[in-house]
Amino acid sequence: FFAYPDGRLADGPEVRSRLRDALAAFRPEWILAFDPDFPPRVQHADHVASGRIAGAVADGVPSAEWLLRFSTRSGNFAVDTSGLWDRKWEILMLHSSQFAGKRDRIEGLVKGRDEDAGRRFGVALAEPFRARRTETGND
């Protein structure tokens, strides 16, 4: 998070450079980021910014083969999460401050989205991604 306060991340050369350096040090094969272009609903500005920043630097990360954009309505790849719902919900609840008084509504929203994706990909529940190989990954 580079110590940016929640909701305050904005795209710019400094944050792009910081992310590029962090990814070069970490050497990921996959970069996961919010989808800034096809979100399933209105996204927070910092989520859009983080997706744009990740997309801008992904091709310059030598180890990265794939950019996987989550929170998307244009998934072209999915992970079958049918047996993982309880664990996924447990992890989401680690961010319970984001869901104060809205737990049931959020659970229905997230599970409904996973069910919709599952139907599209032929499983009970799925996590969709808009995936593309990076320029490095195309070698």
Side-chain angles (χ1 to χ4, degrees):
F1 298 113
F2 301 132
Y4 290 99
D6 187 27
R8 302 288 184 233
L9 180 68
D11 194 356
E14 185 237 338
V15 71
R16 286 184 183 204
S17 178
R18 290 179 76 185
L19 182 59
R20 191 176 297 108
D21 292 347
L23 291 171
F26 188 70
R27 301 182 42 77
E29 292 178 36
W30 307 328
I31 297 173
L32 285 90
F34 280 103
D35 187 340
D37 301 314
F38 301 102
R41 61 198 167 285
V42 175
Q43 276 191 6
H44 299 273
D46 57 331
H47 296 183
V48 172
S50 70
R52 291 202 191 293
I53 294 161
V57 304
D59 290 326
V61 179
S63 61
E65 296 181 24
W66 289 93
L67 173 62
L68 301 173
R69 296 189 182 275
F70 59 88
S71 193
T72 184
R73 60 184 154 77
S74 293
N76 60 351
F77 170 77
V79 173
D80 180 355
T81 59
S82 300
L84 302 172
W85 174 254
D86 291 338
R87 182 68 177 133
K88 179 176 179 174
W89 186 247
E90 180 183 323
I91 291 168
L92 282 171
M93 286 298 94
L94 292 174
H95 301 284
S96 60
S97 65
Q98 301 292 309
F99 309 126
K102 301 182 261 185
R103 180 188 162 113
D104 291 342
R105 186 173 70 83
I106 297 298
E107 183 174 13
L109 178 74
V110 173
K111 192 163 194 179
R113 188 202 67 185
D114 289 9
E115 289 168 341
D116 289 345
R119 280 189 289 280
R120 282 194 334 247
F121 289 95
V123 296
L125 299 171
E127 183 70 35
F129 297 91
R130 185 165 61 99
R132 75 161 175 86
R133 288 185 62 84
T134 64
E135 288 184 15
T136 305
N138 290 325
D139 292 341

